[in-house]
Amino acid sequence: MINKVFSAEQLDDKDPLAHKAGAFSLPDNTIYLDGNSLGPLPKSAEKRAVEVVQEQWGQGLITSWNKHQWISLPQQVGDKIGELIGAQQGQVICCDSISINLFKVLSAALKMNPRRKVIATTRDNFPTDIYMVQGLLDLLGEEYSIRYVDEASISSQLTDDIAVLMLTQVNFRSGLKLDMKGITEQAHAKGILTLWDLAHSAGAFPVCLDDCNVDFAVGCSYKYLNGGPGAPAFIYVARRHQDSYQQPLSGWMGHSAPFSFSPDYAPDSSVKQNLCGTPGVIGMSILDAALDVFDDVSLKAIDEKSKKLQAFFIAEAKRAGVLEHFGVASPPINCRGSQLALAHDEAYAICQAWIAEGVIADFRAPNILRIGFAPLYLSFADVEKAVTRLAIIMNEKRYENATFQQRQSVT
Ligand SMILES: *Cc1c(COP(=O)(O)O)cnc(C)c1O
């Protein structure tokens, strides 16, 4: 047995974020290691949900578009998200899903780099990112193509026929975190526009879009931003590109004057052009309130605690002999996001057995037990308990139980 340097209790005692768990409505007796996939419910969001439905919609009816400024929610929420991802005001808008937003941005980016016909990305990117490129290529015809670059050596594969480089900063499966600043700089040196997907970045650690000189970014708000299932996503368009940016989903909300009801489309000259149809006010209001949990904390503090939680998990898992059963499928702590991937052929059943013990993580095909560390509500005591329960599951081979082997439709 290796002795502990600090106990979970000692670490929790000196945790500057310990009070934040009180801002969430979490179920009793549940340890949540899946905030990287669906963040839990902030109390502020719960309150706003009632307010927006009962008062603003129920009582205010259509007057709430003005009275409660529903109409400017996409910009207001966009700017709030902007603060968390290093974007000055007026460059982020909240709308639609990542998938739809990728279509808009990729289309616009290709138009801005018209002599080039290649979209580059990694094969290991999240499938929807790749699928959206495939769908767009189908529409554009054979002149355009997708090229896969190897995640481990992106900069050496940047050639001057690439129009846009689409990367996800943190790999959804392994957690590998790419060097946003360095890669963006190298892409620019070759005349390539960059599009970063922040699905596993926003709300997890400091992101500095302006500082990294990023061209475009997209991200979702239901993971580390705790906006709720299917909460609206966001788009970042760097100010310097807004004049020449034109995306093809030219709905009325992206018109420069939607309420002129003109038959001719005239795009708004700001990031607002990315709005297509009527925003989902209820979901966006809930997200707006959910973001309040970030008001008095820094992303730096969140990142620091995440690293400590992850290091503690690994130390505990080693101590309890758990790691002998798994392969570690993540890069070292300084090269990954706020998640850890453990490989095991029975990862699905292990995850189900862990859930039965009150510890929720998730499974990613083919063999990954994925563990998310969301520092706003996770304590060191939670991590300790989670490891203890995983040790029992592994030692007793509880995952062999038939009930844990049955695959559900969402993993
Ligand atoms: C979660 C995630 C998505 C989800 O896309 P939606 O259109 O919001 O469903 C996209 N890309 C990455 C990298 C993700 O992790």
Side-chain angles (χ1 to χ4, degrees):
M1 286 288 261
I2 309 161
N3 283 326
K4 291 187 197 200
V5 181
F6 289 111
S7 69
E9 197 182 11
Q10 283 169 319
L11 291 165
D12 281 326
D13 276 348
K14 54 180 192 175
D15 168 18
L17 296 181
H19 66 289
K20 288 306 289 190
F24 292 86
S25 275
L26 290 159
D28 291 334
N29 305 316
T30 299
I31 296 170
Y32 198 52
L33 303 178
D34 214 359
N36 53 318
S37 209
L38 175 68
L41 171 64
K43 288 176 181 165
S44 53
E46 196 169 11
K47 183 162 165 266
R48 180 74 73 85
V50 174
E51 205 175 285
V52 70
V53 170
Q54 292 186 349
E55 289 168 37
Q56 298 186 6
W57 177 22
Q59 300 301 308
L61 297 167
I62 202 166
T63 67
S64 289
W65 280 104
N66 291 313
K67 190 170 164 205
H68 294 288
Q69 277 126 42
W70 286 351
I71 197 69
S72 50
L73 265 178
Q75 290 116 294
Q76 181 190 316
V77 177
D79 281 333
K80 258 190 182 177
I81 294 170
E83 282 181 38
L84 303 174
I85 54 175
Q88 292 277 332
Q89 304 267 300
Q91 300 177 102
V92 180
I93 189 108
C94 182
C95 56
D96 302 315
S97 61
I98 289 189
S99 304
I100 291 174
N101 291 342
L102 285 169
F103 182 84
K104 297 179 212 170
V105 176
L106 286 167
S107 307
L110 289 178
K111 245 183 144 173
M112 290 165 71
N113 219 349
R115 285 200 297 275
R116 301 179 178 208
K117 311 291 175 190
V118 177
I119 297 172
T121 191
T122 59
R123 218 177 221 301
D124 224 18
N125 204 340
F126 191 82
T128 205
D129 298 51
I130 298 174
Y131 300 162
M132 292 311 294
V133 175
Q134 291 169 347
L136 177 61
L137 291 179
D138 209 36
L139 202 60
L140 292 172
E142 297 195 341
E143 213 187 337
Y144 288 85
S145 61
I146 187 167
R147 184 179 306 150
Y148 296 107
V149 293
D150 181 5
E151 209 172 46
S153 57
I154 292 170
S155 44
S156 66
Q157 301 160 79
L158 300 176
T159 49
D160 60 14
D161 56 344
I162 298 171
V164 52
L165 174 64
M166 175 186 79
L167 296 172
T168 295
Q169 189 185 14
V170 174
N171 182 292
F172 76 102
R173 207 184 267 115
S174 71
L176 174 75
K177 185 177 173 186
L178 297 175
D179 169 14
M180 179 181 274
K181 194 165 195 167
I183 294 172
T184 300
E185 199 178 303
Q186 284 151 349
H188 286 168
K190 299 274 180 187
I192 301 168
L193 290 164
T194 56
L195 163 55
W196 289 90
D197 185 333
L198 306 178
H200 296 280
S201 310
F205 51 80
V207 176
C208 311
L209 292 180
D210 288 347
D211 188 46
C212 292
N213 218 10
V214 164
D215 301 286
F216 311 106
V218 297
C220 57
S221 66
Y222 50 79
K223 293 174 180 167
Y224 292 100
L225 295 178
N226 315 307
F234 61 87
I235 298 189
Y236 164 90
V237 178
R239 175 101 52 206
R240 64 183 179 282
H241 292 313
Q242 290 182 7
D243 280 343
S244 45
Y245 180 93
Q246 195 170 355
Q247 64 88 9
L249 299 182
S250 44
W252 72 309
M253 286 288 158
H255 191 283
S256 58
F259 292 92
S260 67
F261 295 102
S262 155
D264 297 308
Y265 183 69
D268 192 275
S269 59
S270 74
V271 70
K272 200 173 145 223
Q273 189 207 111
N274 285 297
L275 296 182
C276 183
T278 307
V281 168
I282 294 171
M284 212 175 288
S285 299
I286 291 172
L287 167 61
D288 180 42
L291 293 171
D292 291 347
V293 301
F294 289 93
D295 277 354
D296 58 349
V297 291
S298 72
L299 271 304
K300 186 167 168 283
I302 291 174
D303 188 33
E304 281 167 6
K305 181 173 170 190
S306 168
K307 291 196 165 73
K308 285 184 189 155
L309 286 167
Q310 294 189 59
F312 187 65
F313 181 95
I314 288 169
E316 286 296 289
K318 274 189 187 152
R319 227 168 56 84
V322 169
L323 282 194
E324 291 158 25
H325 300 274
F326 292 92
V328 175
S330 287
I333 206 157
N334 286 322
C335 309
R336 66 172 186 255
S338 202
Q339 65 194 67
L340 177 67
L342 298 180
H344 192 291
D345 287 345
E346 292 290 342
Y348 180 81
I350 293 167
C351 185
Q352 294 306 309
W354 216 10
I355 291 171
E357 292 300 314
V359 181
I360 303 179
D362 65 22
F363 164 76
R364 283 295 170 265
N367 65 340
I368 298 295
L369 177 65
R370 194 175 63 160
I371 302 161
F373 296 87
L376 290 176
Y377 44 85
L378 195 65
S379 69
F380 292 88
D382 289 336
V383 168
E384 187 177 60
K385 277 185 220 151
V387 172
T388 304
R389 292 176 202 174
L390 186 56
I392 294 169
I393 290 164
M394 299 315 294
N395 291 337
E396 297 180 2
K397 292 193 174 16
R398 287 200 192 169
Y399 51 86
E400 287 178 352
N401 186 317
T403 55
F404 300 138
Q405 301 274 342
Q406 218 140 59
R407 296 272 170 123
Q408 291 178 297
S409 55
V410 176
T411 61

